[in-house]
Amino acid sequence: MADTEQQQPADDGLIVARVCIDDTLGPYEARLDPTNRWNGWLCPRFDLDTVRKIAARTQEMADEYGHDTYDTVHVIDGDARRSEHRAVVLVVRWQYLGGEPGEEVEHAVSVISPDADGLYGIGGGEWTWHAAAPDPDARKENTVSEPKWLADAEAEFARREETRAAYEARIAAETADRINNKLDELGITPIRPAAIQNHRALIIPALLVEADPEEELYSVHADWDATARRVRLAAGHFWNDYAGLLPSRPLNSVEDVVLARREGPEQKPEPQHSGPASWDLRKIAEGAARTIASDVTSHDTGEVVQMLSGVAAAVLHLSDTLARTFTRP
C-alpha cells in the first residue's frame, strides 16, 4: 500500500546547496534547512528535473547491483484533468516486498507530493545525504587549476573508490542473502528480511520477533558473524536499556530463537581475579631471613638484623593473609 508524504511549504531558512551520497548519487542542487537533520544527515528537497535525474540513477544502480540493495525513484507523467500536466513521484523500497504473493506491505511504496514551492523531499529521514564538494565549474577565475599529474591521480583514486564501494555493496548484499537463505532453510519467516542500508555496505539484520516488555522477552534479529562466518542471533532489550543490538547465540535451529528471546545478549564471563603472587612474597621473605647472620656481635649491626627479621616476619604474615583472602570461596 502506498504512503503519501506531504512536504511542508518552504521556510525562509532554506538554502541552496549541492548534496550527494558518497560517489553513488549526485551531486545534485537542492534546497534544504541545514539545521533539519536525520542522524546528522541532510534532508534536501529537489525540483522535478532533478528528481528525474535521481530516478534514472537509482534505477540504473538497482539494475546493476540488485533491487534489494537500492531504493528506486520513479516519475510517472500524466494528465489528470486533461488541461494540466501532472507528475507523480514514487519511492519504492524493494526490501519490503519479499513477502507472500498478495500480502499487503506497508511503507514499501511512498508517493512524494511536492511542497508549496514545487520541491520534492527525496530520501529525507532515510538516505545519507551530505554536502557535496563545491562545483568545479563554479570556481572563481583566479583559482589555480590542478596540475595534470594530480588530476590524473585524483581520477584514479575516485575510480578505485567507486570500485571498492561497489564491491563492498555486492559483498553486503550477498551476506544479507546468506542470512535470508539460512532463515528459509530453518522455516523461519522474518518480520523483515535482512537487507543493506540504502547506498551503503551496511547490513540491516533480519527482524525475527519483536520485543515484549510485559513478558520481558527480547527482540531477536538474525545477523552475520564475520569472525565465525555464520548466522548469529542478536538481541534488543525490551526496555531499551542500551542502544542497538548485542550478539546472542548462534542460529542453528528455531529453538535458538526461543532461547534468545529469554536469554538476551550473550553473557561475557566475569574476569578471574588471581590476586597477588603471595608465595613469591613468602620466598623473598624466607630467603632474606636465611641470610641474616645469627652470631652478630656488633651492637649496631644487631639492631639492623633485628629490624630485618621483623620485616621478614611481617612479609610472611602478609603473604599468608593475601593467600587466604584470594583463595576463599
Side-chain angles (χ1 to χ4, degrees), residues 21-152:
I21 299 179
D22 296 336
D23 295 328
T24 58
L25 269 181
Y28 304 113
E29 184 172 293
R31 291 185 65 185
L32 56 90
D33 177 358
T35 65
N36 179 25
R37 292 175 178 262
W38 167 74
N39 290 339
W41 305 108
L42 298 172
C43 299
R45 303 176 188 178
F46 306 93
D47 61 30
L48 186 57
D49 288 340
T50 304
V51 172
R52 294 184 190 277
K53 296 177 183 178
I54 296 173
R57 178 57 180 155
T58 57
Q59 293 173 44
E60 175 186 321
M61 291 188 298
D63 289 340
E64 184 173 357
Y65 302 113
H67 286 71
D68 287 342
T69 304
Y70 293 100
D71 293 353
T72 55
V73 179
H74 304 263
V75 179
I76 303 174
D77 294 289
D79 296 320
R81 299 175 182 173
R82 296 185 180 180
S83 59
E84 60 178 307
H85 176 79
R86 291 293 184 90
V88 177
V89 176
L90 304 178
V91 175
V92 181
R93 303 172 184 87
W94 295 92
Q95 63 268 30
Y96 294 116
L97 296 174
E100 296 296 328
E103 179 182 352
E104 184 173 347
V105 181
E106 295 183 357
H107 312 303
V109 180
S110 294
V111 178
I112 310 299
S113 299
D115 62 18
D117 294 327
L119 303 177
Y120 297 81
I122 304 296
E126 293 183 283
W127 297 4
T128 53
W129 290 111
H130 58 85
D135 187 351
D137 297 333
R139 293 178 178 177
K140 295 181 180 179
E141 293 182 359
N142 60 354
T143 301
V144 178
S145 60
E146 293 180 345
K148 184 178 183 305
W149 63 266
L150 180 57
D152 291 343

Side-chain angles (χ1 to χ4, degrees), residues 6-285:
Q6 178 65 47
Q7 303 298 324
Q8 297 299 320
D11 299 323
D12 293 337
L14 295 183
I15 63 172
V16 177
R18 284 159 47 87
V19 298
C20 65
I21 299 179
D22 296 336
D23 295 328
T24 58
L25 269 181
Y28 304 113
E29 184 172 293
R31 291 185 65 185
L32 56 90
D33 177 358
T35 65
N36 179 25
R37 292 175 178 262
W38 167 74
N39 290 339
W41 305 108
L42 298 172
C43 299
R45 303 176 188 178
F46 306 93
D47 61 30
L48 186 57
D49 288 340
T50 304
V51 172
R52 294 184 190 277
K53 296 177 183 178
I54 296 173
R57 178 57 180 155
T58 57
Q59 293 173 44
E60 175 186 321
M61 291 188 298
D63 289 340
E64 184 173 357
Y65 302 113
H67 286 71
D68 287 342
T69 304
Y70 293 100
D71 293 353
T72 55
V73 179
H74 304 263
V75 179
I76 303 174
D77 294 289
D79 296 320
R81 299 175 182 173
R82 296 185 180 180
S83 59
E84 60 178 307
H85 176 79
R86 291 293 184 90
V88 177
V89 176
L90 304 178
V91 175
V92 181
R93 303 172 184 87
W94 295 92
Q95 63 268 30
Y96 294 116
L97 296 174
E100 296 296 328
E103 179 182 352
E104 184 173 347
V105 181
E106 295 183 357
H107 312 303
V109 180
S110 294
V111 178
I112 310 299
S113 299
D115 62 18
D117 294 327
L119 303 177
Y120 297 81
I122 304 296
E126 293 183 283
W127 297 4
T128 53
W129 290 111
H130 58 85
D135 187 351
D137 297 333
R139 293 178 178 177
K140 295 181 180 179
E141 293 182 359
N142 60 354
T143 301
V144 178
S145 60
E146 293 180 345
K148 184 178 183 305
W149 63 266
L150 180 57
D152 291 343
E154 289 287 355
E156 176 61 20
F157 176 78
R159 185 192 64 79
R160 291 199 308 270
E161 285 297 295
E162 183 176 358
T163 302
R164 178 190 60 79
Y167 171 78
E168 291 180 352
R170 179 175 62 83
I171 294 300
E174 291 176 354
T175 302
D177 286 342
R178 291 193 186 99
I179 297 173
N180 294 328
N181 291 338
K182 180 66 175 180
L183 297 177
D184 185 62
E185 174 188 325
L186 296 176
I188 299 174
T189 302
I191 298 174
R192 184 182 64 243
I196 68 172
Q197 186 177 352
N198 284 324
H199 317 297
R200 285 184 176 267
L202 299 177
I203 298 175
I204 302 174
L207 174 59
L208 307 186
V209 60
E210 298 276 9
D212 186 343
E214 292 186 1
E215 297 296 331
E216 297 188 353
L217 298 175
Y218 295 83
S219 66
V220 182
H221 309 248
D223 202 355
W224 182 255
D225 186 339
T227 302
R229 297 190 60 79
R230 62 183 301 175
V231 178
R232 186 184 189 92
L233 297 176
H237 207 282
F238 43 84
W239 287 125
N240 293 323
D241 287 347
Y242 52 77
L245 305 176
L246 292 179
S248 184
R249 57 175 46 237
L251 176 60
N252 296 312
S253 66
V254 176
E255 183 182 3
D256 289 317
V257 179
V258 175
L259 295 174
R261 294 189 76 194
R262 290 156 175 78
E263 297 171 348
E266 182 182 42
Q267 300 297 321
K268 295 183 179 179
E270 294 292 333
Q272 299 296 323
H273 300 284
S274 58
S278 58
W279 284 103
D280 292 342
L281 296 177
R282 170 175 281 279
K283 290 179 181 178
I284 295 173

